[in-house]
Amino acid sequence: MRKYGGSVTVFLALTLVSLMALTGGLFETVRAAGQNTYVQTALDSSLESLMSGYHREVFERYRIFVLENASAGRLRDQLEPYLDAYLGEAAFYPVTGRKLTVCEPVMITGEDGTYFDDEAAAYMKAGILPAIADSATILRTASDTDSAESFGEVTEELAVSGRGVLRLEKARDRIFDALAAQKSLMDAGDAALSACDGGMFRKKTGELKRELSRMPELAAAYDREAEKLGEELDQAERKASAERERLSDAGRQAADERLAEYRSYTDENGARREEVRRIEAEAAENLVTADRALARADEVEEILASREEDDDDDDDDEASLWRTVLAVTGAYHRKAPERSGRNRRKLDLLETLSGLTEDAVLALCVPEGMPVSRGSVNPAGFPSAEFTAGAGRMRCSPEDGASGDLPSRLLFDEYGLRFFDSFRTAQEGKGFRYEAEYLLFGKRGDRENLTMTVMALVGVRTALNLLSLLADEGKTAEARGAAAAIAGTAGPFSAVVYSLILTVWASLEAVSDVRVLLSGGKVPLSGQQGEGTLSLSAILERGLGALDFSGAGGAGESGIDYPGYLRLFLLLTDRRTLRYRMMDMIQENIGRSEPGFSMAGCAFRVEAAFSCRGVLVPVEKRAVREYR
């Protein structure tokens, strides 16, 4: 027997133990790595499952993914069962000390609504982008619309000033009418004195005193109108200055010319106000003279009454007594202003037509047989109530509207027209029907939003039509002739009437244009010379009766239709405002079938973290999912 015969066995045993230890270590290392990957996969998949619970109705109606009623606690409670199911199926990867954390979710209303914007534009990319016109054409059209809208606002301010001029002229006419009445009463009183008729003299002088007593109020009324006109013209100049950069060259020139005409009128008004003050002072003196004449008449009557009844004085003596009263009335200021040759009926008509109320314009523009919805919404709780400045048109320039990514902006605006009803596409049975108009103005009532949209359209069309009229020498000559005839004189007042005539003419053409749009027709963006449908003579004779809507429904086969103008207005509206107002409408419509639904409670992005004790080392994983 050999003494060391088991040495090989020991060596092999030690080697086998080492190999088994190494293999076991490698196995556990691989298992730990697999567990690390599996936990990440489990967390990712659980979060995917959670996000698959998006609000079905919001997606089906608006193609927007949102996770409703999203709060960190609620989402953790929903996520945990998914994660437990994954981990429970992997006994090979045991874990202990689990901790699941869900961060506060990012809401669809966050980041100025950009998440909503991204989802809407992403959906619209499929099959829509090729149909959009080239960027240069879009920006040029939007710029023309923006310039027209600005010029329309300036024109409206000038129309307000024009009505102020007419009111001031009326106040001046009332003063001159009073002067004419005073002179007539003075002459009648003198005639009574000449006829020795004291009673008639007293009657006429009493009427004269009442007329004279009205003069301070008439003068004060003139001053009030003059002050108001000055304020209105200052406002028009401020508006023209604020909108100057947005005006086209033609619009800027037209605005400057109109302002110069009004300023020429008000510059002349300084001398007129001095004249009114002098007339007021003379009226006060005439009132004193009238009292003196009445007092002298009392004395004459006392003298005549004191004579004996049988005292047969000759008539010359009585006449001489009454002539002493005539000597007093001879001190009257008897200004006899010349009656102006102005046509007051047509001036009143121009004032009425230039100051049509919004309700009147809406009634004229809406086609017969298309009732205006009275639907309304309660804006409390709307995203826009929390995240934007509220109701009203939030205008922006074409460059600002298209800043960043013009195709994305156009897709977003197209989303608004596709998924939200307008006047032309409104559905029966809906409480709130004019959603696209709401996107522009954010008013709580259908009628209010439609009215604001119609007024914006009328403003744009008025500006374009006015520029067209100014470029037509024949029509401007016709308007100047009519202004001179109506004003009764040349000069600054006639120039103001001329400006008002053109504004009224353009605005009534605009009403006719908008009626075509609301009827489903088209009108060209730019007013075209010589294509007006209304004659000036018809307007000045029949006023609104000159409007003929009998063929409006079938008119306008070329140009831009109502949705086209809405598309331009959307591009000229602040994008952030549009995002939140779109979310308003989604919340309103979903909330009708699901009370309490809130877009502010809907998540766009969820982030979760999970930690545990794994096979060998702690495991910490994080996952983020968003609807993008």
Side-chain angles (χ1 to χ4, degrees), residues 120-168:
Y123 170 75
M124 293 300 292
K125 285 180 181 178
I128 300 299
L129 189 58
I132 297 177
D134 66 279
S135 300
T137 299
I138 292 172
L139 286 178
R140 183 171 59 253
T141 304
S143 180
D144 290 344
T145 303
D146 187 50
S147 296
E149 191 167 2
S150 294
F151 185 50
E153 293 178 3
V154 174
T155 298
E156 175 55 31
E157 291 294 340
L158 288 172
V160 171
S161 299
R163 294 193 293 275
V165 170
L166 297 186
R167 289 193 303 270
L168 185 62

Side-chain angles (χ1 to χ4, degrees), residues 193-305:
L193 291 174
S194 297
C196 300
D197 189 344
M200 181 58 68
F201 170 73
R202 285 182 173 280
K203 177 182 177 182
K204 294 301 180 181
T205 304
E207 294 176 5
L208 174 62
K209 288 182 64 177
R210 286 191 292 274
E211 281 291 332
L212 292 169
S213 298
R214 292 177 54 234
M215 193 57 70
E217 175 54 33
L218 293 176
Y222 183 90
D223 282 339
R224 287 194 298 270
E225 293 296 344
E227 292 293 339
K228 186 176 180 180
L229 174 60
E231 293 172 1
E232 291 169 346
L233 191 54
D234 288 343
Q235 174 62 27
E237 289 185 328
R238 287 193 294 271
K239 172 61 74 171
S241 177
E243 300 292 336
R244 191 170 188 82
E245 293 304 317
R246 280 178 153 162
L247 297 177
S248 64
D249 291 340
R252 196 175 297 117
Q253 180 181 353
D256 290 343
E257 289 175 356
R258 303 285 84 73
L259 285 168
E261 291 167 355
Y262 282 84
R263 277 304 177 195
S264 177
Y265 174 87
T266 55
D267 290 344
E268 185 183 83
N269 194 49
R272 287 182 165 191
R273 294 185 78 170
E274 289 298 324
E275 179 186 31
V276 169
R277 293 189 182 94
R278 178 179 56 77
I279 291 173
E280 183 182 7
E282 290 177 350
E285 294 175 7
N286 284 343
L287 198 56
V288 173
T289 300
D291 287 334
R292 290 176 51 222
L294 287 174
R296 179 54 187 161
D298 289 341
E299 294 173 357
V300 169
E301 288 180 339
E302 288 178 4
I303 293 173
L304 293 176

Side-chain angles (χ1 to χ4, degrees), residues 403-458:
S403 62
D405 184 2
L406 178 58
S408 173
R409 174 60 196 263
L410 296 176
L411 289 172
F412 181 67
D413 293 346
E414 199 67 29
Y415 175 88
L417 290 178
R418 171 169 290 198
F419 287 95
F420 300 100
D421 294 333
S422 68
F423 175 79
R424 289 290 308 164
T425 60
Q427 302 176 28
E428 294 291 340
K430 291 183 64 175
F432 193 73
R433 301 176 63 188
Y434 307 151
E435 297 166 338
E437 288 81 0
Y438 174 85
L439 301 183
L440 294 173
F441 295 99
K443 302 294 185 181
R444 64 169 57 204
D446 273 334
R447 185 180 181 86
E448 295 172 277
N449 288 311
L450 181 60
T451 298
M452 298 300 291
T453 304
V454 165
M455 294 305 296
L457 285 169
V458 169

Side-chain angles (χ1 to χ4, degrees), residues 7-19:
S7 60
V8 174
T9 302
V10 172
F11 173 75
L12 291 174
L14 291 174
T15 301
L16 181 61
V17 169
S18 298
L19 289 173

Side-chain angles (χ1 to χ4, degrees), residues 533-589:
T533 59
L534 299 178
S535 71
L536 179 58
S537 59
I539 293 173
L540 295 177
E541 288 300 323
R542 303 199 304 274
L544 294 179
L547 293 171
D548 181 11
F549 299 129
S550 59
E557 297 302 326
S558 63
I560 302 177
D561 58 7
Y562 184 67
Y565 275 97
L566 292 183
R567 190 173 287 109
L568 291 170
F569 284 157
L570 287 173
L571 181 58
L572 297 173
T573 301
D574 174 60
R575 189 169 184 171
R576 178 175 180 272
T577 300
L578 289 180
R579 294 165 183 161
Y580 285 109
R581 288 179 181 170
M582 287 184 190
M583 287 189 273
D584 290 348
M585 291 294 93
I586 294 175
Q587 179 172 311
E588 169 67 16
N589 292 327

